[in-house]
Amino acid sequence: MAGIEVRLTGLNSSQLQGVKTTEGPVLILAGAGSGKTRVITTRITYLLAQGVPPERVLAVTFTNKAANEMRERVGTMVPPAMGKALTISTFHALCVRLLRSGIERLGYKANFTIYTGSDQIGLLRQIIVRKGGKEVKLDANAVLSLISRWKNKGIAVEANGDDLAADVAREYQRQLKLRNACDFDDLLGLATRLLEENEDIRTQWQDRYHYLMVDEFQDTNRQQMDLMRYLAGPRKNVCVVGDDDQSIYGWRGADITNITGFERHFPEPTIIKLMENYRSQRPILETANAVIRHNAGRREKQLIATKAGTEPVRLVSMPGDAEEAEFVINEIWTANTVHRRPWEDFAILFRANAQSRLFEEALRKQSIPYRILGGQSFFERREVKDILSYLNVAIQPGDDVNLLRIVNNPPRGLGDTTIEMATEDSIAHQRSVFDSLADPEFARQFSARTQNALQRFTTQVRSWNEAVSRHGAGYAEIAESLIKETGYVEYLKRSCSSPEDELNRTSNVSEFIQSIHQHQQNARTKGLRNFLDSVALDDDFQRESEKDKAAKKPGVWLITLHASKGLEFPHVYLVGLEDGLLPHKRSIEENTLDEERRLLYVGITRAKEKLTMTYCHKRIKWGQPTGITPSRFIKELPQPPVQHTNWDDLMKKPVTLDVAKAHFAALKAKLGM
């Protein structure tokens, strides 16, 4: 097709096959560092060049960040109009689009609300107190994990158990339906059910997309596999890209059999292996291949090095965790000070978050900058959540969780007793809290002052609802008006603990309002409901953007093995190779070591030039030295290229003149000499 240049030069034979095999089911097994992103984007461009209309192409991945990057890459290869017509989406965003067009068939209204983390926990805590009383010891997060596991496996929440947790889970699901709300797992389950139960809708979506692509396929769960089967239909033009050796999210519902048993769902697929690794030197890849070979049931493959390299992989035995941290940080300091390697070249990878503390202390002691993944999502900050709750209530006054967040925020003369009575009344009459607050019969039991406060609040909510319901309403202006009308910013300022806190929080409000304006100006967007959907679906983007923010800071990386997936570093220290840490204690008890071995494999393949692994003989636990058993995975490490040494021998090595000079210069600088 004119205007499209398909860049095939530089692709190896397997990559080229992945690009050009367009018909029928295709499974691309993409090893670590094998250039899979280039294959996916080139494949999309190739389809368009072959005359496939862009409206018929669907590419699905897991995060907004990945979808945006894919969209941008393809956008450099095809005309702008064609790039915009493609659907490159996350699973959840695709499901929202699908459900908005037909969820009424499942007993919901099209303007359903999406409940995310804090909304879900808030609802569950209410239900736990209601079911078990204020003294009951039931963790809302544990119940939420249980519900998520059931939904990811396609198990109906209503059909499980008779204990308190199961009872709470059933009530949670009932309350979501009453509030016309869905959580993230519902988006997948309901979209799949909609396609399964409605042939006309299923046919409509199968006619819309003739070519499907799924990235990071090893991370899909049962619901996502079912969704893709229904969308693929009789054409079965499905291309999935992934690596069973990098499946490390089983605890989050990922089903590795989707990729190891792909043929059961899509018979006679073309299987293409991308095994040439463009990231790591040969000794690192030899180590990774040797480790992962011990997993049973995997698809047989082996990474092939395109970079030679002679630097051995080191395995260092440490007497204790303090020596481990000191050793690693001293080596990094020397590499930076003597050999001029930037701090950003170094990553310390660990299995458990608690392991980072000693490394942080050692880094601070040496005045070495560092970055660690974590922190609160922008959309989870108090003031942003407050405004989001106002906007959700404006669209749907019956949204109890969001209504209860704002009803006295700022205070408006409705005390806790009034709200508790309204909540109890809503339960007794099977209606929303707003309907109870707005009921004149309910209001009569209160003083004239409280009745006036109730009338003012419910009248306000109705006016907001009318404003956002008008076709083409400027929802950014409505949001600004709502914030001004409620006096929220003045209230926020009064509740701040310091001028700095006030500046941060009011800046967050300003930034959030700006994001609404930007959304409204985007011609592709469709109103406030669409904006709130995009915020809810941005939970994964916020997690991914932590990596972006960290990448912009100077300093050594401190990062968990799970969070390191998708990243690469010249020098990697993989610490804590001990039974109980890697593999994790729970996996040892349950004899589920395969995923822990894959996690080690992921850690190893993050290293480009140099890899050092460490383990300790003792760690301080509860203030006492505790003996540790080296990881059972150590015996699987090949020698060579792995060079096994210990802390004592390394400490006995004479210090070079350059290192001695560097230490002396640093000491002088500290003393101000």
Side-chain angles (χ1 to χ4, degrees):
M1 183 175 287
I4 299 179
E5 179 188 353
V6 186
R7 303 164 193 165
L8 301 178
T9 54
L11 295 175
N12 63 43
S13 58
S14 298
Q15 291 173 329
L16 196 59
Q17 186 186 6
V19 168
K20 290 188 169 184
T21 307
T22 59
E23 304 304 307
V26 180
L27 170 59
I28 300 178
L29 295 167
S34 62
K36 73 179 178 69
T37 304
R38 186 182 177 193
V39 172
I40 295 169
T41 53
T42 308
R43 190 176 195 274
I44 294 172
T45 309
Y46 183 79
L47 281 168
L48 301 182
Q50 297 303 303
V52 175
E55 297 84 3
R56 298 287 176 259
V57 178
L58 168 65
V60 187
T61 187
F62 277 83
T63 68
N64 280 309
K65 178 176 180 290
N68 289 338
E69 287 178 352
M70 193 182 297
R71 193 178 294 112
E72 286 170 10
R73 286 205 191 191
V74 174
T76 65
M77 305 177 190
V78 302
M82 196 170 280
K84 286 181 181 179
L86 292 164
T87 302
I88 300 176
S89 167
T90 64
F91 272 104
H92 290 101
L94 175 66
C95 289
V96 169
R97 188 182 301 188
L98 201 156
L99 290 171
R100 292 279 178 220
S101 68
I103 198 171
E104 294 93 340
R105 302 274 185 99
L106 303 178
Y108 291 78
K109 289 181 270 186
N111 68 337
F112 63 88
T113 301
I114 302 169
Y115 272 27
T116 56
S118 58
D119 304 319
Q120 295 170 276
I121 294 299
L123 176 58
L124 280 168
R125 283 175 178 157
Q126 290 177 23
I127 295 169
I128 289 168
V129 171
R130 194 185 306 161
K131 292 280 185 182
K134 292 182 179 179
E135 305 304 316
V136 71
K137 303 293 183 186
L138 183 60
D139 182 12
N141 286 289
V143 179
L144 186 57
S145 295
L146 184 67
I147 293 169
S148 185
R149 280 201 301 275
W150 287 339
K151 290 182 178 181
N152 283 329
K153 291 178 180 177
I155 300 170
V157 171
E158 295 79 5
N160 282 281
D162 56 5
D163 59 0
L164 179 59
D167 194 23
V168 168
R170 280 190 289 272
E171 181 62 16
Y172 165 83
Q173 202 57 33
R174 194 178 77 86
Q175 287 294 328
L176 282 182
K177 184 77 178 290
L178 280 174
R179 297 158 192 237
N180 195 40
C182 305
D183 62 22
F184 260 40
D185 296 317
D186 285 330
L187 294 176
L188 289 167
L190 291 173
T192 303
R193 194 178 131 206
L194 184 65
L195 293 177
E196 180 183 22
E197 296 177 1
N198 298 276
E199 184 180 358
D200 59 329
I201 294 177
R202 188 168 65 247
T203 302
Q204 172 194 334
W205 283 84
Q206 288 171 355
D207 288 344
R208 177 175 299 188
Y209 298 122
H210 295 182
Y211 293 88
L212 280 60
M213 274 167 278
V214 186
D215 191 15
E216 301 289 2
F217 190 68
Q218 75 279 349
D219 296 336
T220 54
N221 59 33
R222 174 182 163 178
Q223 301 275 28
Q224 287 158 331
M225 171 59 95
D226 287 345
L227 183 71
M228 298 315 295
R229 284 195 303 107
Y230 288 128
L231 287 172
R235 291 186 188 85
K236 292 185 170 57
N237 290 332
V238 178
C239 174
V240 302
V241 184
D243 181 8
D244 52 312
D245 290 337
Q246 296 186 74
S247 179
I248 59 173
Y249 296 116
W251 52 276
R252 221 160 61 183
D255 186 350
I256 195 173
T257 64
N258 284 353
I259 194 166
T260 57
F262 184 71
E263 293 88 340
R264 293 200 308 272
H265 305 281
F266 294 97
E268 301 180 7
T270 301
I271 299 177
I272 301 164
K273 296 181 181 181
L274 307 182
M275 291 297 106
E276 291 185 45
N277 178 284
Y278 299 95
R279 175 190 298 155
S280 307
Q281 295 186 357
R282 181 174 287 115
I284 294 168
L285 296 184
E286 288 176 0
T287 304
N289 286 331
V291 167
I292 203 64
R293 198 176 291 130
H294 289 81
N295 269 4
R298 61 185 284 268
R299 289 187 177 270
E300 191 58 41
K301 53 194 175 301
Q302 182 163 303
L303 293 175
I304 301 166
T306 59
K307 296 180 178 179
T310 57
E311 182 80 38
V313 173
R314 290 187 303 168
L315 176 66
V316 186
S317 164
M318 299 287 174
D321 47 6
E323 290 86 353
E324 178 186 52
E326 183 182 12
F327 167 79
V328 170
I329 303 312
N330 279 341
E331 279 211 343
I332 292 173
W333 182 89
T334 300
N336 170 265
T337 308
V338 178
H339 304 297
R340 303 300 174 190
R341 295 300 300 245
W343 300 122
E344 296 72 40
D345 279 4
F346 300 92
I348 303 168
L349 309 185
F350 42 86
R351 177 65 176 85
N353 277 307
Q355 289 173 262
S356 73
R357 183 183 63 83
L358 287 173
F359 292 97
E360 288 190 69
E361 289 177 358
L363 286 160
R364 285 198 294 265
K365 186 178 177 182
Q366 296 271 41
S367 300
I368 297 173
Y370 65 93
R371 77 282 291 278
I372 185 165
L373 295 191
Q376 191 179 35
S377 156
F378 176 76
F379 293 112
E380 286 295 321
R381 292 169 187 168
R382 170 195 143 193
E383 55 277 9
V384 176
K385 283 294 291 181
D386 286 346
I387 300 169
L388 280 170
S389 290
Y390 270 107
L391 296 176
N392 273 296
V393 169
I395 280 188
Q396 195 159 301
D399 183 343
D400 285 357
V401 166
N402 284 306
L403 184 91
L404 291 171
R405 184 181 182 100
I406 63 148
V407 68
N408 257 334
N409 184 14
R412 46 176 53 91
L414 298 172
D416 291 344
T417 302
T418 306
I419 303 308
E420 284 177 16
M421 290 173 68
T423 304
E424 290 168 3
D425 181 85
S426 73
I427 295 166
H429 291 90
Q430 292 293 294
R431 60 185 179 181
S432 71
V433 173
F434 177 80
D435 286 342
S436 290
L437 292 173
D439 184 353
E441 191 66 35
F442 171 77
R444 284 194 190 99
Q445 59 190 307
F446 300 106
S447 67
R449 184 177 177 180
T450 300
Q451 288 185 47
N452 288 335
L454 283 169
Q455 186 175 14
R456 279 195 303 272
F457 177 64
T458 54
T459 300
Q460 265 190 328
V461 171
R462 287 192 178 112
S463 71
W464 302 334
N465 182 246
E466 288 172 11
V468 299
S469 298
R470 291 190 206 106
H471 180 69
Y475 50 97
E477 291 74 17
I478 291 171
E480 284 191 272
S481 174
L482 188 155
I483 291 169
K484 187 175 182 180
E485 180 185 341
T486 57
Y488 180 79
V489 173
E490 290 73 20
Y491 162 69
L492 185 66
K493 289 177 179 178
R494 292 195 299 272
S495 65
C496 290
S497 58
S498 66
E500 184 182 4
D501 186 32
E502 179 182 320
L503 178 62
N504 285 337
R505 292 189 180 280
T506 54
S507 295
N508 287 338
V509 173
S510 176
E511 186 178 341
F512 181 59
I513 292 298
Q514 181 60 27
S515 73
I516 304 177
H517 277 287
Q518 288 173 349
H519 188 273
Q520 186 171 287
Q521 289 163 12
N522 186 339
R524 296 179 66 194
T525 58
K526 300 175 182 177
L528 180 57
R529 178 76 273 166
N530 181 276
F531 172 76
L532 295 173
D533 285 350
S534 72
V535 170
L537 295 170
D538 256 359
D539 262 19
D540 61 343
F541 172 74
Q542 288 298 319
R543 286 191 293 272
E544 283 298 305
S545 69
E546 290 173 15
K547 293 181 182 179
D548 291 341
K549 290 173 185 174
K552 292 172 185 173
K553 297 177 183 176
V556 175
W557 287 84
L558 286 175
I559 183 168
T560 64
L561 284 164
H562 280 101
S564 73
K565 188 169 176 289
L567 300 175
E568 59 183 44
F569 316 93
H571 292 225
V572 166
Y573 289 87
L574 207 167
V575 300
L577 251 72
E578 300 142 25
D579 276 0
L581 277 178
L582 187 63
H584 194 273
K585 180 183 177 185
R586 186 175 60 253
S587 71
I588 296 172
E589 292 169 348
E590 298 174 357
N591 196 28
T592 54
L593 297 174
D594 283 4
E595 185 156 318
E596 293 291 297
R597 190 178 282 108
R598 292 194 291 270
L599 196 56
L600 174 58
Y601 174 84
V602 166
I604 291 170
T605 53
R606 297 313 93 197
K608 296 167 69 176
E609 300 170 19
K610 189 171 181 178
L611 172 65
T612 300
M613 295 179 281
T614 64
Y615 65 94
C616 300
H617 290 284
K618 286 184 181 178
R619 285 190 181 274
I620 303 297
K621 295 184 178 180
W622 307 106
Q624 298 295 322
T626 305
I628 300 292
T629 303
S631 172
R632 61 197 64 200
F633 295 149
I634 286 175
K635 66 179 181 292
E636 300 172 4
L637 299 173
Q639 297 184 34
V642 176
Q643 189 180 82
H644 199 160
T645 185
N646 64 70
W647 182 82
D648 289 324
D649 289 345
L650 291 172
M651 291 301 102
K652 290 173 186 174
K653 282 187 175 182
V655 175
T656 67
L657 182 60
D658 286 342
V659 173
K661 284 180 178 177
H663 276 282
F664 183 63
L667 181 60
K668 283 176 67 178
K670 278 188 177 181
L671 295 172
M673 296 170 63

